[in-house]
Amino acid sequence: MTQHPDHLLDAAAGWLARTNDPEFADWDGFMAWLEADPANADAYHQLADSEAELLPVVERLAPAPEPLSAPAVARPRRGWAIAAGLAALGALGLTAVPILSGKTYTTAPGEMRTIALADGDELVLNGGTQIHLAGLDRRDIRLDRGQLMLKLHGRDEGPVSVRAGDLEVVDVGTVFEVSRDETATRVLVSEGEVVADPDGARLHLSRGEGLTASDGETVLKAEKVAIDAAGSFSRGQLTYMGDPIARVAADLSRSTGIDFSTTPAMAQRPFSGTLSIAEVRRDPASLGPLLGVPVKSSGRGWIVGEGP
Amino acid sequence: MNDGLMSVLDENSDRLLRYFRAHGAGEAAEDLLQELRVKVMTTPTGPLGAPVSYLFRAATNLVIDRRRAETQSRKRDDAWTDLADLQEGRSSQAPSPERVIDSRRTLALVEEGLAELTPRARTILRRHRVEGETQRRIAAELGISQSTVESDLREAYRLLHRIRERLDEE
C-alpha cells in the first residue's frame, strides 16, 4: 500500500467526511479534486477501505454513553452539557468500559425511530416510547413504555427477548409488536410466532394472534387480532378490531404527538377500522365521524367521547 | 423499473464515466457504468429528491466495493467472524484457540485505538455511520457547527486508517 503524506491523507479524510454525508451534493467539486492528482483517489480509497473494514468493529464496541433522543430542534445548552459530561467520563477513562452495559432509547410523542440490530433485524419505536437494550449483543429488550415493533428475520442470531412489566416475550423468528401503557402490556404478531412468558405459561402466539395482559395477571389468553395490525403505526396507519377507544386514544397520542384522552363512559367502547396518522394529525376533529363519537378540543388536547 | 432514474443516468452517462475515471478506473469505467445501470434497473427505489446525487453515491459505492473485493485479505474477514461469535457468546463454530486469541487481540487494538478519539467524535461517528444520521442533524443535536462535525469525522477516519495500518503490521 502506498504511503501518502500527511497533508494528502488529511485532505482525503475531509472529502470522505463530506461525501459520506447523505446530504452531500458537490460531486463536481469532488471530481475536480480527484482529477487533480491520481494519488488523491488512492488516498481516498485507502481511507474508505479502512473505514469499511473497521466500522463493523466500531458498531460492536460500546457506544459512547450518551442519551441522544434526537430532539426535533437544536438545544445548544443541553448539547454542551452532554458533551461536557462525556468529556468528564473520558477523563476518568470510563469510555471503553460499557460493552456489557445497556443503552436506552427514548422517542418524544409524534417521533418515530428505527434501530438496526445485527443481521438485518430492526426495531421500530413509535412516539412516546422508551426501551432499554442489554445483553452482550443487545438482544435483551426492556420496554418501559410506548410501542415497539420488532422485525426479526436474522436466522443466525439468537432469539430476542422483550420484557414489559412482568411479561416476557421471546421471538421464534418473526415480526411482532409490543406496546405498554401504565401497567398493561399488549402483544400483536403479524408473522411467525412468539412465546409469551417462556418460564411460566409458555403461551404460543402465532400470526394474527395477540394478547393483552395486566401486570400480575395469572392467566394469559391468546386473542384474534387483525393480521396487519402489528407495526401498522410504522406505515402511518393504526388498525383495530374491536379494541377499546381508550387504547385508540393512547396510540394516537403516541403517534401524533397530540394529546388525546377519553371520557370514562367511552373508554371501553369497541372500535374496528383503520386510521391514518397523518390525517388525524392534520385534523384531529376528523376523528369524530370515524370513531362514531364526538371529538372536542379542550385546553391542552382533544377529548374523545361525551358524558362523564 | 426505474424509468425516471434510468433516463437521468443516460443524461449523465458521460459525467459518470468521467467520475469513474477520476477514481482511477481506467478501462474499467465502461464496465462500472454498466454495473451501475444494472443496479438501477434491479434496485427498487421510491421517488428520489436528488436523483443525480443518488447515482453518484451509488457510483462511489461501486468503486469502493470493487476495490475492496480486489484487495481484501480473506484472513482478516475470518478474524472478524470469529470476533462476532466471541462477542455474542456463540460456540457453534468453535474457532481454534489461536484464532480466538487473534480476534481478542484485534478487538483490543481497535478499542485501544478508538480511545484516542474524543468522546464527542466517537458519538458523532456512531450516529453518522452506524445509525445513518445526517451531519446537519447531528450538529443540531449536539449544538455545534456542521464544520465541527465534519472535522471530528475527518479525525475519526484518519484514526481508523492508522488503526488498520497497525493491524496490518501485526
Side-chain angles (χ1 to χ4, degrees):
Chain A
M1 193 161 57
T2 317
Q3 284 288 339
H4 294 293
D6 209 48
H7 68 89
L8 174 52
L9 286 173
D10 218 39
W15 278 110
L16 184 62
R18 287 189 288 280
T19 52
N20 271 349
D21 191 357
E23 294 185 341
F24 178 78
D26 183 20
W27 297 100
D28 285 329
F30 181 45
M31 182 146 49
W33 177 76
L34 289 174
E35 284 174 339
D37 186 340
N40 290 356
D42 191 64
Y44 178 87
H45 292 153
Q46 283 188 14
L47 285 156
D49 197 31
S50 296
E51 200 222 348
E53 194 155 341
L54 289 181
L55 212 55
V57 185
V58 172
E59 200 168 342
R60 287 183 181 282
L61 287 172
E66 98 291 14
L68 281 181
S69 76
V73 290
R75 281 188 283 177
R77 283 178 175 280
R78 184 160 163 270
W80 279 117
I82 291 169
L86 290 173
L89 279 177
L92 290 170
L94 289 177
T95 46
V97 175
I99 286 191
L100 276 168
S101 76
K103 182 166 165 68
T104 300
Y105 292 88
T106 309
T107 53
E111 175 193 13
M112 207 187 309
R113 179 159 175 194
T114 301
I115 297 165
L117 296 180
D119 209 16
D121 290 350
E122 257 181 23
L123 304 180
V124 186
L125 280 66
N126 199 2
T129 298
Q130 178 170 310
I131 64 166
H132 183 80
L133 304 187
L136 259 180
D137 45 5
R138 299 176 187 284
R139 295 177 81 80
D140 291 326
I141 302 166
R142 190 184 72 220
L143 175 65
D144 295 325
R145 61 168 184 274
Q147 197 165 23
L148 173 69
M149 177 169 62
L150 302 94
K151 297 185 194 170
L152 310 170
H153 296 294
R155 293 283 168 250
D156 301 335
E157 309 288 331
V160 167
S161 114
V162 182
R163 183 163 275 285
D166 62 3
L167 183 71
E168 189 179 0
V169 183
V170 176
D171 92 288
V172 193
T174 189
V175 177
F176 68 112
E177 176 193 307
V178 184
S179 55
R180 178 155 181 84
D181 296 300
E182 309 286 332
T183 58
T185 302
R186 183 167 163 75
V187 181
L188 303 170
V189 179
S190 69
E191 276 178 35
E193 186 179 270
V194 300
V195 180
D197 192 15
D199 300 326
R202 296 190 59 85
L203 177 65
H204 287 253
L205 299 174
S206 48
R207 178 177 151 84
E209 289 184 324
L211 72 81
T212 308
S214 300
D215 290 350
E217 203 157 347
T218 50
V219 179
L220 296 177
K221 193 166 160 285
E223 59 202 27
K224 286 267 164 251
V225 296
I227 281 170
D228 53 0
S232 63
F233 71 85
S234 67
R235 300 183 292 275
Q237 291 183 333
L238 298 171
T239 302
Y240 300 95
M241 210 161 79
D243 295 80
I245 283 188
R247 179 177 298 148
V248 178
D251 289 351
L252 283 173
S253 301
R254 250 195 309 265
S255 298
T256 60
I258 300 167
D259 188 44
F260 287 95
S261 56
T262 52
T263 58
M266 288 292 167
Q268 294 307 313
R269 184 165 159 160
F271 169 71
S272 297
T274 296
L275 302 172
S276 152
I277 293 168
E279 287 293 323
V280 174
R281 188 184 281 130
R282 189 165 60 233
D283 180 13
S286 70
L287 202 52
L290 292 170
L291 295 180
V293 297
V295 174
K296 290 187 301 268
S297 121
S298 75
R300 283 177 47 248
W302 293 76
I303 296 176
V304 179
E306 56 194 353
Chain B
M1 279 298 288
N2 291 304
D3 292 342
L5 194 54
M6 219 40 203
S7 63
V8 176
L9 193 155
D10 287 336
E11 283 158 25
N12 286 274
S13 59
D14 285 346
R15 209 169 142 212
L16 285 160
L17 271 178
R18 190 179 140 198
Y19 183 67
F20 285 129
R21 291 196 188 102
H23 272 284
E27 286 170 5
E30 293 277 359
D31 294 349
L32 283 162
L33 186 65
Q34 184 51 28
E35 215 174 309
L36 183 62
R37 241 187 217 113
V38 172
K39 215 167 180 176
V40 166
M41 269 191 288
T42 53
T43 314
T45 55
L48 293 167
V52 175
S53 246
Y54 174 89
L55 291 172
F56 272 94
R57 181 162 308 285
T60 311
N61 293 340
L62 274 183
V63 170
I64 292 172
D65 289 350
R66 174 172 281 215
R67 194 189 131 102
R68 272 174 67 67
E70 284 163 4
T71 61
Q72 200 167 30
S73 88
R74 183 66 212 154
K75 183 173 165 287
R76 172 91 41 72
D77 243 9
D78 292 347
W80 289 153
T81 313
D82 289 352
L83 193 68
D85 288 351
L86 212 107
Q87 283 199 292
E88 281 158 23
R90 270 189 271 157
S91 55
S92 53
Q93 290 172 318
S96 70
E98 295 77 29
R99 291 266 290 275
V100 169
I101 290 164
D102 204 38
S103 315
R104 284 217 175 102
R105 174 95 192 107
T106 304
L107 178 65
L109 266 176
V110 175
E111 188 151 28
E112 189 185 298
L114 283 176
E116 287 175 37
L117 274 187
T118 65
R120 186 185 70 194
R122 242 178 111 151
T123 300
I124 291 174
L125 178 66
R126 223 190 141 73
R127 286 288 282 143
H128 187 50
R129 298 300 285 160
V130 178
E131 296 170 21
E133 196 53 273
T134 64
Q135 294 178 21
R136 194 161 47 86
R137 266 197 71 151
I138 296 170
E141 274 174 12
L142 295 179
I144 55 181
S145 73
Q146 212 169 319
S147 62
T148 307
V149 171
E150 186 188 306
S151 117
D152 272 7
L153 285 168
R154 194 174 58 221
E155 288 304 315
Y157 296 149
R158 289 221 46 188
L159 178 65
L160 289 178
H161 189 52
R162 284 199 298 277
I163 294 173
R164 193 185 62 155
E165 284 176 332
R166 264 176 246 159
L167 287 170
D168 285 346
E169 283 164 17
E170 287 268 305

